[in-house]
Amino acid sequence: MALKNQISKEDFLAVFRDEPINTLLGTNGDNGNGLNFTTIDFPNKTEEEWRHTSINKILQHRFGLGKTVSLDKKTVDLFTIPGLDAYRLVFINGYYNPDLSDEIEKAGKLLVKSSAKVKKEHPEIFNKYYKSTDLGSENFFTTLNTAYATNGSFIYLPDNAVLDKPVHIINFSDGQDSKTISQYRNVFYAGKNSKAQIVNSFHSLTVNYTLTNVATEIIVDENAFLNFNIFQGEGDDAFQMNHTKVFQHRNSNFSSHTITLCGAIVRNDIHIKHLDEGCETNLNGLYLPDREQHFDNHIFVHHAKPHGTSNQIYKGIIDNKASAVFLGKVLVDRDAQKTLAAQSNRNVLLTKYAKVNSKPQLEIYADDVACSHGSTTGQIDKEALFYLQSRGIDRRNAETLLLSAFLSDVIENIQVEPLKILVKLLINKRLKGEKVEGQCSMIEACHGCDPID
Amino acid sequence: MGKTLLKIENLNATIEGKSILKGINLEIKEGEVHAIMGPNGSGKSTLASVLAGREIFEVTDGHVEFMGKDLLSMAPEERSREGVFLAFQYPIEIPGVSITNFMKAAVSQHREHKGLEPLSPSEFLKLMKEKKELVEIEAKLANRAVNEGFSGGEKKKNEVFQMAMLEPKLAILDETDSGLDIDALRIVANGVNKLKNSENATLVITHYQRLLDYIVPDVVHVLYDGKIVKTGGKELALELEEKGYDWIKKEVQV
Ligand SMILES: Nc1ncnc2c1ncn2[C@@H]1O[C@H](COP(=O)(O)OP(=O)(O)OP(=O)(O)O)[C@@H](O)[C@H]1O
Ligand SMILES: [Mg+2]
């Protein structure tokens, strides 16, 4: 059923059928005819997974494929993380910008490149890992991504490879000329005993309606360590669907930090599967929706084998009429004995209009496990506020102190030190109601966050 | 005698419509120590909270002047910067905020209010060290979150430490002695005494004479059912210790 002002699925998809697309990743340029969109529909609120995520606002727009926009290094430098020495991959509206990127290709096949290039230059590697998780069929958006993603980042770490610097993937969206959809398909493979840190940041160049649809497939092989950071600072009219699927092999370690500071509707899905024994997963998130923004985090951790560990800590501060969702599910199979799993979601609502739906869930079929979950949602502690004020600290500063204390453990967990420092700075500015230029979002794209009150 | 610091006239306050303070009159001058005693629930902490600006209490009548200014119209933080300090009966825990950061923010806002230059980091640390020694607080306590996991005694010492950092004109100590062993009591009382001078004043709320052996009051008041029903010299405290409050209750009823 189409809601008011909502365009039809056919209209939404028309752009992909009508325009010739040369850089399609998934379908060898067959314009997606191989995928059957008649049986897969827009997500709707009757589905448990989408009950609290209204995408009606997204479906009011007819998005087109954007153009690649030329960017100078100076502009891109605005979005680098101060002090972060990294290999950079830069994309605009779904297109790769080789001039602003640092590709790596080393003997032994260590690769940091665009997905399209790897497809062309190393089809055997590309085909082995692309679509090797079952992410493609999760929902409408991942299917759309599989059919029509233009490009993305491909990181391939052979066995024992240790990246000397983090990889920083910068995705810009720019809807200046028309409402633009950008689709990225990322594939990361971390070979046995390898280690790497990846930061994927999202920014808008202008304030316009854009939709960024990201699908990331991650395979962490035996004993490998992969740390993945998602930093979302797109503009106030930017929508984002971001789906990450991780397959972990024996004794591997995967950690993530999802930092959502700006965007109109942002939905993050992170699905983890432990394919073998002894895997460890640490998922961290912080989100600060403001105005009428809506930020979602959906986690699914599937413990399929024994001796696995997983931790989730997600914290949010919700301002004005904004809303947030945390849906975290841990599934422990009958075989997954000795699983240790912990889930925690805590929220602070700054106004009476702010909303949060929080639902940590455990589904356990093994009997010898230690699992815990907890969720709290509240306001700023009035008594703590008074205590600080009674020592001469004004209300605004007192609130900032309390809220940054509330987020501090999740921020301290961030492993990429320069990112941690940046996030701390941005959040402190945000809590003080100071405008942040050229860092969080783009100068023009950022309306500046409303001061808390 | 010194100048009047605090002048409370006919102060009435309620919480959730319930009348708690029923016409308090009290005047404190520079250099004085006043003690307020009284049975549980008589309104001692309420008076302290109202003076510090706790919003949950509604002032329904009366007037409070602090150094010539209308205290009740000020926000809690302004009262603090003007020189009012309340050592809480039950200091709360503030997870994630270290004492150092807390005091840094407080001291810097106090200095700004007075038109003073901010302290340099090393000056600030020196000040912290000096004041910690005054109340014999362990150095490492300052890096911990405010009151989190502190023992009762540590919490009370921490209150007096904050008082030392901010050097108030009027310190209100709400049962700062409760739950302290005799050694801790001596330390806390000595700390308070060292901060005393001819230009500030102390209002101690207590149930026990033993504190008043160390912090010797000039005036003792008895608060009962929201009113000050008796005022005397330090010997009144001894009398209360000996005889309890029943005789006062009887006097009031007559
Ligand atoms: N937050 C509150 N909500 C409702 N009633 C309160 C609150 N705080 C205090 N009261 C009531 O106000 C009255 C006075 O309490 P208050 O704490 O001022 O007494 P007190 O003299 O300090 O007692 P104590 O010696 O036990 O510390 C009591 O009846 C108490 O129940
Ligand atoms: Mg009391």
Side-chain angles (χ1 to χ4, degrees), chain B residues 15-16 18 20-21 38-47 54 56-57 89-90 174-175 205 207 223:
Chain B
I15 185 159
E16 290 157 5
K18 189 167 108 187
I20 309 291
L21 300 183
N40 296 120
S42 57
K44 303 183 296 297
S45 294
T46 302
L47 174 62
R54 187 87 198 269
I56 57 168
F57 296 99
Q89 182 175 3
Y90 303 109
D174 191 357
E175 299 201 23
I205 296 170
H207 287 287
L223 188 64

Side-chain angles (χ1 to χ4, degrees), chain A residues 33-65:
Chain A
N33 292 333
L35 275 149
N36 189 354
F37 276 98
T38 52
T39 54
I40 182 147
D41 220 328
F42 289 148
N44 70 66
K45 290 196 147 195
T46 61
E47 297 166 58
E48 181 60 25
E49 274 293 296
W50 293 85
R51 208 143 68 92
H52 303 293
T53 315
S54 170
I55 56 165
N56 182 247
K57 276 189 186 160
I58 305 177
L59 300 178
Q60 292 178 10
H61 305 280
R62 189 194 277 266
F63 293 100
L65 293 171

